Amino acid sequence: MTEFIPPGTRFATLPSPFPMKRGGELHGARIAYETWGALNAARDNAVLIVTGLSPDAHAAANEGDPEAGWWEAMLGPGKPIDSDRWFVVCVNSLGSCKGSTGPASVNPDTGDLYRLAFPELSIEDIADAAVHVARSLGIEQLACVIGNSMGGMTALALLARHPSFARSHINISGAARALPFSIAIRSLQREAIRLDPKWNNGRYDEQNYPESGMRMARKLGVITYRSALEWDGRFGRVRLDSDRRDDEDPFGLEFEVESYLEGHARRFVRRFDPNCYLYLSRCMDWFDLGESCGGSADDGLARIRIGRALAIGVHTDILFPLQQQQQIADGLRAGGNQAAFLALESPQGHDAFLVDIDRFGPAVSGFLAML
Amino acid sequence: MTEFIPPGTRFATLPSPFPMKRGGELHGARIAYETWGALNAARDNAVLIVTGLSPDAHAAANEGDPEAGWWEAMLGPGKPIDSDRWFVVCVNSLGSCKGSTGPASVNPDTGDLYRLAFPELSIEDIADAAVHVARSLGIEQLACVIGNSMGGMTALALLARHPSFARSHINISGAARALPFSIAIRSLQREAIRLDPKWNNGRYDEQNYPESGMRMARKLGVITYRSALEWDGRFGRVRLDSDRRDDEDPFGLEFEVESYLEGHARRFVRRFDPNCYLYLSRCMDWFDLGESCGGSADDGLARIRIGRALAIGVHTDILFPLQQQQQIADGLRAGGNQAAFLALESPQGHDAFLVDIDRFGPAVSGFLAML
């Protein structure tokens, strides 16, 4: 499969072998990353961003790539994550297809694509790989690690496995463990891909590609990333104009909301590798911070030592519901940490952090200003 | 396709031709129904139940069929819908495959199954057919029409189209119009069926059956019928025992919640006709009570004349959210009707009315006691 690598991407090589938590190891693996700003002489101004399932490392425009990134309004000179002050690193997750080694990469031991021969991927592996990238850039300690969605899981794993590597943490719409509603959604997304005959146990190519399965998975994702409240205001019951409808198809697109989902699916299906999607999706189900200490997620949180932390969530998030960010803040405080919980009224659901910069911007800049 | 008709089912024949709202007409169509209790001499004790998408007419045990029905705890002698007092009729929706005429029935004009040649089905057609059944049983006016979920839409259409046919109404987890979140969910369910190559534009049979598409559709339905809150308590992160897992399948079932969905899907896929599912699903998307008067859903509600009404919803319903039952009560009151709104704290989401009898039972029996 083609990988989908933004033009400004840089690469860090992981130690070889790189051991994987659930068994197996990688040889010559690499992680894609981008940076903004500069590391200061004291090397104490580094901020690491770990991402959700699908983003690449191009969070915002920079010298290597002037195109807008997926968090453009949040990151850059004078923005909430201010690259005039901070040296910001965003990594593409291990296991992804946006430049980091994953199931869509060539296995150096065989010369073939890994596909399902890639070792089982865990959130902890993604965290370990991100730490290697930061260290390779001369960073001995992060001023802050910021994680969104799946990245919120990755950041917690990083804090648990690499004590004192970060002085502070912002957890955005994240979770200390996966709960059954989101496991059910992700399981169904994976089933949609696996049921597509063209998935062919992971042995697809450009010509025989599980496009139907990926469409279903992406549409279900988009439904759970946004909120009913937002869609009522945005789409209501508005129908497509007749020239955008296929009158030959009795069950074809009719409402604007269906066309919106269709557009999202079309933009996604050929730009994300199906096997990588399966691996990243499954590693979220597996995540439970409690495993790090043989206890509950609360126990795992209470063992973390961090200077300051902020957990942000939104009322309309059905995938990582607000109680999960409350749990993060409560759990960190129970361990004696200074941790705040911020519940935002954003109507946009789980993805609010990408679009509701009016609320997320001040929350993030306010926290970073205290450091 | 085989139809799935409970043994105690009775049938009423619709007038022939039976005109359909969106065009076309049916000849010799029939509606499946069951009854409990007896019509009194004054013929003023009739209660009609109209259902959600999938139930048949066997709401509870009766003389014709002693097996428990889908609302067993709610309906029968001494139960909240007390068949010692009320003559209760439950109809299987027009367009369904549980005995009523629908896409899985034989078209008398051709001798073949209707399949996609069945006329476009609307909620209003389902309501009109239910009224015919009641009239055929000697009922001139209903004491109450009770509608759950899609049946809540059907009941509102009935009230709008057949003024004074019912003296009171209980709307349970219903809606006066479909909103984009639920349209998106249903659109995705339909797409799952249509993407299954075995659907074959509706021309499947028992040997070539769109089982994968129906599995996906049902699992997505079950996810939206229940709630994250209930599942946290019920399943948490509990894994299947190793003897219930297929270790050969790296993406196979692992968590209890996945097995729960799998069980629901298995029980459903061969017991509901895929084309009927498509028709019933689509007619919910189309429903907007405002169409009945050329205005908004609120306008449609305000034009209804009803003695008393009660709209019940639950906080955890993501498919027909609580605001929609609030809208029903408010809209009916705006028209000068006596209408109450009851928000229940049930954790079970949209399907709570099927299982949370501790809350729904008293609400329904309290309302019926006032009549």
Side-chain angles (χ1 to χ4, degrees), chain A residues 143-217:
Chain A
C144 188
V145 55
I146 301 175
N148 306 321
S149 185
M150 182 185 86
M153 294 174 161
T154 305
L156 291 175
L158 183 156
L159 298 177
R161 293 165 72 83
H162 302 275
S164 81
F165 190 65
R167 292 196 299 278
S168 77
H169 169 44
I170 302 176
N171 198 295
I172 295 178
S173 302
R177 59 178 188 151
L179 288 178
F181 181 84
S182 51
I183 290 174
I185 294 282
R186 285 190 293 261
S187 175
L188 198 54
Q189 292 174 300
R190 295 193 298 270
E191 186 168 357
I193 294 170
R194 292 161 54 226
L195 282 174
D196 188 328
K198 293 188 176 173
W199 178 61
N200 189 25
N201 277 304
R203 302 200 66 79
Y204 47 84
D205 58 28
E206 287 288 354
Q207 281 66 51
N208 291 284
Y209 183 89
E211 188 158 328
S212 296
M214 287 292 281
R215 290 163 58 85
M216 291 292 302

Side-chain angles (χ1 to χ4, degrees), chain B residues 74 172-173 312 314 344 346 352-353 356-364:
Chain B
M74 190 66 93
I172 295 179
S173 303
I312 311 175
V314 304
L344 298 180
S346 310
F353 66 89
D356 189 6
I357 305 302
D358 287 350
R359 288 188 175 88
F360 277 89
V364 169

Side-chain angles (χ1 to χ4, degrees), chain A residues 187 191 215 219 250 258 282, chain B residues 187 191 215 219 250 258:
Chain A
S187 175
E191 186 168 357
R215 290 163 58 85
K219 286 188 177 184
E258 294 178 281
R282 185 180 58 177
Chain B
S187 175
E191 186 168 356
R215 292 163 56 85
K219 287 189 177 185
E258 295 178 281

Side-chain angles (χ1 to χ4, degrees), chain A residues 22 116 120 177-181 183-185 187-192 194-195 197 199 212-213 215-216 219-221 223-224 226-229 231-233 235-237 239 245 249-255 257-258 261-262 275 278-279 282 284-288 291 318 321 323, chain B residues 22 116 120 177-181 183-185 187-192 194-195 197 199 212-213 215-216 219-221 223-224 226-229 231-233 235-237 239 245 249-255 257-258 261-262 275 278-279 282 284-288 291 318 321 323:
Chain A
R22 295 175 63 98
L116 302 194
E120 290 183 350
R177 59 178 188 151
L179 288 178
F181 181 84
I183 290 174
I185 294 282
S187 175
L188 198 54
Q189 292 174 300
R190 295 193 298 270
E191 186 168 357
R194 292 161 54 226
L195 282 174
W199 178 61
S212 296
R215 290 163 58 85
M216 291 292 302
K219 286 188 177 184
L220 181 51
I223 287 174
T224 57
R226 309 303 286 230
S227 88
L229 179 67
W231 284 2
D232 287 355
F235 302 116
R237 292 182 49 76
R239 258 102 164 166
R245 291 170 62 169
D249 181 353
F251 295 97
L253 305 182
E254 174 168 353
F255 291 93
V257 68
E258 294 178 281
L261 287 179
E262 182 70 17
N275 289 335
L278 293 174
Y279 271 77
R282 185 180 58 177
M284 276 191 272
D285 289 4
W286 280 337
F287 185 63
D288 181 350
E291 279 186 3
I318 60 173
Q323 300 91 303
Chain B
R22 296 175 62 98
L116 302 194
E120 290 183 349
R177 60 176 186 151
L179 288 179
F181 180 83
I183 291 174
I185 293 282
S187 175
L188 197 55
Q189 291 175 300
R190 295 193 298 272
E191 186 168 356
R194 293 160 56 226
L195 281 175
W199 178 61
S212 296
R215 292 163 56 85
M216 289 293 302
K219 287 189 177 185
L220 180 52
I223 288 174
T224 58
R226 308 304 285 231
S227 86
L229 178 68
W231 284 1
D232 286 356
F235 303 116
R237 293 182 48 77
R239 257 104 164 165
R245 289 170 63 169
D249 182 352
F251 295 97
L253 305 183
E254 173 168 354
F255 291 93
V257 68
E258 295 178 281
L261 287 179
E262 182 70 19
N275 289 336
L278 294 175
Y279 271 77
R282 185 181 56 177
M284 278 191 269
D285 289 3
W286 280 337
F287 185 63
D288 181 350
E291 278 186 3
I318 60 172
Q323 300 91 304

